[in-house]
Amino acid sequence: MNQPPLKLGSLFDGSGGFPLAATKVGIEPVWASEIEPFPILVTTTRLPQMQHLGNICDIDGSQLEPVDVVTIPGLHPQRVRGLGEWHILHQLGEL
């Protein structure tokens, strides 16, 4: 029985390292959020099927295609320690 591939969304995507790696293990990159022009150029070249959403502040999470995996490169626990785990999970739930 074949299952559909897992789908991935990438926040603060940069040059698309996580989505590119995902394709190597059968995960389908669906959307990404990035604002810098050069990294967007890199990912639109490497992953033309992936939707680019632009600034994370302008994204309406209720309008996003659901994904199984959300990557957040550079989100280190040290940087968000003061927010608390519940706050982080709550914010991710609103995407």
Side-chain angles (χ1 to χ4, degrees), residues 6-56:
L6 293 174
K7 295 183 177 186
L8 176 136
S10 181
L11 301 175
F12 311 103
D13 187 54
S15 58
F18 279 112
L20 184 61
T23 65
K24 304 300 182 190
V25 294
I27 298 173
E28 176 187 349
V30 176
W31 50 257
S33 171
E34 177 56 60
I35 60 172
E36 295 295 326
F38 182 73
I40 293 171
L41 177 63
V42 170
T43 55
T44 55
T45 301
R46 289 181 178 168
L47 303 162
Q49 75 283 5
M50 187 169 67
Q51 179 184 10
H52 288 270
L53 305 173
N55 192 327
I56 191 170

Side-chain angles (χ1 to χ4, degrees), residues 55-74:
N55 192 327
I56 191 170
C57 296
D58 299 329
I59 297 172
D60 178 354
S62 70
Q63 302 300 310
L64 291 179
E65 179 178 346
V67 294
D68 303 294
V69 179
V70 176
T71 59
I72 309 174

